[in-house]
Amino acid sequence: MAQELNDDGGRDVALFNSALETGVRAVVILDAAFPRCFDLAHLTWLDYLVVHTADVGGPDSLHPNIPQRTGELLVRRRLVEESLEMMRSLHLVDKHATKEGIMYEAREEASAFVDTLRTAYARELRSRAIWLAEFLKEKSEEGIVEIIAERIGRWAVEFQNESGREGE
């Protein structure tokens, strides 16, 4: 896990690329898109898109546009899943079994949590999550898949979309 003992014998908690960082992003995304819910594959894509909004014609990306950044998707799925379980344990996210598969949704407490985030990064993240939610608002699940395939690559869709839904 992302914890190591520090020189004082205490535990350091890694924040960058951790379940905590990713979980906070997931809560911000789900809160912005509420009441819409998403499965793990879609949340993995949205975790990428919310920090790379310029890739889909949105505002400047929050994270640097490094070459080969779409490779991030290959390693993010497990981390996003772990982060969602962490946020569920904190009562910020609900998990529902539906006919479409396992879906995640922001809980009522998510908005209050997001309102407490006051750093410049958090404000920018929330702004981009709101933009992303509006961008995706009128798009179907298939429309989101097409955006990911067109802008990021078909392999990302096929590799990440293991939701087990019929017709996929």
Side-chain angles (χ1 to χ4, degrees):
M1 187 94 195
Q3 293 185 354
E4 297 178 9
L5 290 177
N6 62 26
D7 292 339
D8 300 327
R11 294 203 180 270
D12 288 331
V13 177
L15 293 178
F16 185 67
N17 277 334
S18 69
L20 179 60
E21 177 195 24
T22 306
V24 168
R25 260 196 319 268
V27 170
V28 171
I29 292 166
L30 288 169
D31 182 58
F34 186 83
R36 197 166 183 182
C37 50
F38 298 98
D39 66 12
L40 178 59
H42 285 73
L43 282 169
T44 303
W45 299 332
L46 298 179
D47 180 65
Y48 172 87
L49 290 176
V50 78
V51 295
H52 295 291
T53 46
D55 287 2
V56 288
D60 290 343
S61 294
L62 193 54
H63 288 186
N65 293 325
I66 58 173
Q68 309 300 323
R69 63 185 172 279
T70 56
E72 292 175 24
L73 283 170
L74 297 174
V75 297
R76 303 286 310 166
R77 185 182 172 99
R78 179 176 281 290
L79 185 58
V80 171
E81 183 174 24
E82 186 181 315
S83 76
L84 288 166
E85 290 306 313
M86 175 187 282
M87 294 299 122
R88 281 189 62 223
S89 73
L90 297 172
H91 309 284
L92 297 172
V93 171
D94 274 335
K95 181 178 177 182
H96 306 285
T98 71
K99 65 181 180 178
E100 288 83 25
I102 304 296
M103 305 297 274
Y104 296 89
E105 176 181 49
R107 289 188 62 159
E108 187 176 322
E109 295 85 351
S111 285
F113 171 74
V114 171
D115 286 344
T116 66
L117 302 174
R118 306 246 183 237
T119 65
Y121 180 88
R123 285 192 304 272
E124 293 296 320
L125 175 64
R126 189 174 191 188
S127 168
R128 283 159 177 82
I130 291 168
W131 177 86
L132 187 59
E134 283 297 315
F135 176 72
L136 299 174
K137 192 174 190 175
E138 303 299 324
K139 296 185 175 35
S140 65
E141 298 302 312
E142 294 77 21
I144 295 172
V145 169
E146 280 306 310
I147 289 168
I148 297 299
E150 178 183 310
R151 302 298 174 107
I152 298 174
R154 177 66 58 192
W155 59 269
V157 171
E158 293 170 0
F159 187 80
Q160 291 290 315
N161 199 357
E162 299 172 1
S163 64
R165 287 186 270 166
E166 289 183 28
E168 292 185 48

